[in-house]
Amino acid sequence: MQRRQFTTVSGSLLWAGLGLSPAVRAAVGGWLSEGDASLGVKTALERGATSAVSLLGRTDGFLKNPKVMIPLPGFMKDAAQILKFTGQQKKVDELVTAMNRAAEAAVPEAQVLLLDAVKTLSVADAVKIVRGNDTSVTQYFSSKTRVPLSEKFLPIVTEATEKVSLADKYNAVAGKASGLGLMKKEDANIQLYVTRKALDGLYWMIGEEEKKIRKDPVGTGSEILSKVFGQG
C-alpha cells in the first residue's frame, strides 16, 4: 500500500497533531496511510449515523430525551401558558407530542443519505475529521446532508403535525408574532421549525457518538478505530 508522508511542522509530522497515539505513530514510523485514515473515519461515521438514527427514530426517541426533545419556541411557550390557564393544557401537550413524534417518524429517512455521504468521503475530508474537534463529524454530515434531508423530512413532519388541531393556530399566531419581532422568522412555521430541530437533534446525537469513539476507541472493539483515533 502506498503511504504518504506529510509536511513537517515545527519539526513534527503533521499527522502527530491528529490525535494518534504515540505507540501507533512509532509503529508506523510517524506515518498513517491514506487508506487507514479514510477507513477509520468512514467506520466512525457509519457507527455514529447508524446509532443516532436507531436511538432517535423510534417512539420517545425525541420526546423522552431532554437533550433533543423539541419544545415550543420561546414566544409560543408564553402563549401556551394562556391556553393552560384556560383549561386547554391537553391541546398544548398534544401539540408538543405531535412535534416530537413527527421528528421520530422522519429520522429513519436519514439513514440512506447519511451512509451515502460516508461513501463519498474524500481523503481531504478524512484528514480534517481526524484532526478536528469533537464536532467535526457533525459538521461534515451537516454540510453534506442538511439540505437534502430537510426536503425529505418536511413532508413527513407536515403530515404528522397536520393531524393536530393546534398546528394551524400555531402558524397563525407565530406568523403574527414574527411580524412583530417577537420570535424568529424561522420558528414561525411549525413544520419548518420541527424539521430544523429534528435535524439539529440528529446531528447532535451523531456528535455524541463521535465523542464516545474519540474518548475510548479501544472500547469500540474496532482495530481501525483504535489505530486512527487511539490516544496514548
Side-chain angles (χ1 to χ4, degrees):
M1 181 183 293
Q2 184 179 6
R3 297 180 182 275
R4 179 180 178 186
Q5 184 174 8
F6 284 76
T7 306
T8 58
V9 179
S10 300
S12 301
L13 285 171
L14 182 59
W15 278 114
L18 303 188
L20 307 178
S21 70
V24 170
R25 292 202 302 270
V28 295
W31 296 354
L32 184 70
S33 73
E34 291 180 348
D36 281 349
S38 180
L39 178 58
V41 172
K42 284 183 177 181
T43 301
L45 288 168
E46 288 177 356
R47 287 200 177 204
T50 302
S51 178
V53 170
S54 175
L55 290 170
L56 296 177
R58 62 185 182 185
T59 301
D60 292 337
F62 275 84
L63 191 62
K64 298 300 184 180
N65 184 339
K67 297 293 186 180
V68 295
M69 194 275 284
I70 303 174
L72 291 170
F75 171 80
M76 295 305 293
K77 282 184 181 179
D78 297 334
Q81 291 299 319
I82 298 175
L83 292 176
K84 291 179 181 180
F85 289 138
T86 58
Q88 300 185 65
Q89 171 74 51
K90 184 178 179 181
K91 289 185 176 181
V92 174
D93 291 343
E94 286 178 352
L95 178 59
V96 173
T97 297
M99 289 162 54
N100 286 274
R101 291 284 183 256
E104 293 160 8
V107 161
E109 296 296 316
Q111 180 124 351
V112 172
L113 278 174
L114 289 173
L115 294 183
D116 282 347
V118 174
K119 294 175 184 177
T120 60
L121 179 80
S122 68
V123 171
D125 284 330
V127 172
K128 289 179 182 177
I129 290 172
V130 178
R131 186 191 304 150
N133 56 30
D134 286 345
T135 64
S136 58
V137 165
T138 303
Q139 292 166 357
Y140 172 76
F141 270 133
S142 181
S143 67
K144 298 293 184 180
T145 66
R146 182 174 281 273
V147 172
L149 280 181
S150 293
E151 295 173 355
K152 289 183 77 71
F153 278 24
L154 185 57
I156 299 172
V157 169
T158 299
E159 181 179 359
T161 53
E162 283 180 347
K163 297 176 182 178
V164 183
S165 61
L166 276 185
D168 289 339
K169 293 180 180 178
Y170 172 105
N171 286 341
V173 173
K176 293 179 180 179
S178 175
L180 295 172
L182 297 176
M183 67 184 302
K184 298 177 182 179
K185 186 176 181 180
E186 60 265 31
D187 293 345
N189 177 279
I190 191 170
Q191 290 81 17
L192 294 177
Y193 169 71
V194 172
T195 295
R196 178 168 55 83
K197 297 297 287 185
L199 286 169
D200 288 347
L202 175 63
Y203 296 133
W204 180 86
M205 187 65 78
I206 291 172
E208 289 301 291
E209 293 303 306
E210 179 187 11
K211 290 177 184 177
K212 292 179 184 177
I213 292 173
R214 288 183 183 272
K215 184 177 181 180
D216 183 21
V218 175
T220 66
S222 168
E223 182 179 352
I224 188 63
L225 290 179
S226 298
K227 184 174 183 179
V228 174
F229 292 100
Q231 300 295 321

